[in-house]
Amino acid sequence: MKRITTGAALAAGALAATALAFAPSAAAVTPTTATVTASCGIFGGGTATLTATQTGTSATLTLTSSAITTPLALSANSIASTLTMSNSTGASRVFSGTVNPAMAAGSPVTVGPLPGTVASGDSLDFYKGSLKMVIFGVTVTCTSSAAQSPGPFVF
């Protein structure tokens, strides 16, 4: 009787392991990077890269650009950023936080990773969205006049 019970337990374990091996993987954002052209007032404008990550319904976005620069030296985590992404499948999604590296005057801008919440099927684009950065009480808004490339982030 003990052999039958042990054999059944081993068979059940093998079946469970096989099911896990063939289970669909968790949803992941595609693409993971996109290029946008942004205009940011006193910070300048030009090409910027957005990088996206996803874990379930949590996602982060990071914007980096050598064309958009800081007019002043900034300490780490001193820019309050709100990145609003247009969503072709529903309401816009907002990613916000105070995450940035220290930057010398004239340095390329990096903000993020900024956390936000997404839903399965969201299709997010910086075009018709915006990035608002509050620096020393001054709000700088970045916008784009064209869709990101190679296309929207699909979650």
Side-chain angles (χ1 to χ4, degrees), residues 66-114:
S66 58
I68 304 166
T69 59
T70 64
L72 305 167
L74 300 171
S75 60
N77 304 322
S78 62
I79 302 173
S81 301
T82 303
L83 177 60
T84 303
M85 300 288 285
S86 66
N87 183 4
S88 67
T89 64
S92 295
R93 299 292 181 195
V94 177
F95 299 81
S96 61
T98 310
V99 181
N100 63 275
M103 294 174 265
S107 293
V109 167
T110 297
V111 293
L114 304 173

Side-chain angles (χ1 to χ4, degrees), residues 53-149:
T53 64
Q54 178 186 10
T55 304
T57 60
S58 298
T60 63
L61 288 175
T62 302
L63 181 136
T64 58
S65 177
S66 58
I68 304 166
T69 59
T70 64
L72 305 167
L74 300 171
S75 60
N77 304 322
S78 62
I79 302 173
S81 301
T82 303
L83 177 60
T84 303
M85 300 288 285
S86 66
N87 183 4
S88 67
T89 64
S92 295
R93 299 292 181 195
V94 177
F95 299 81
S96 61
T98 310
V99 181
N100 63 275
M103 294 174 265
S107 293
V109 167
T110 297
V111 293
L114 304 173
T117 302
V118 295
S120 180
D122 277 355
S123 181
L124 306 183
D125 197 316
F126 185 71
Y127 178 56
K128 297 185 182 177
S130 66
L131 171 64
K132 291 185 181 177
M133 299 176 284
V134 179
I135 306 149
F136 301 123
V138 176
T139 300
V140 176
T141 302
C142 300
T143 58
S144 181
S145 59
Q148 65 191 40
S149 177

Side-chain angles (χ1 to χ4, degrees), residues 19-48:
L20 281 174
F22 290 106
S25 59
V29 60
T30 57
T32 56
T33 60
T35 303
V36 299
T37 300
S39 175
C40 301
I42 63 170
F43 270 45
T47 303

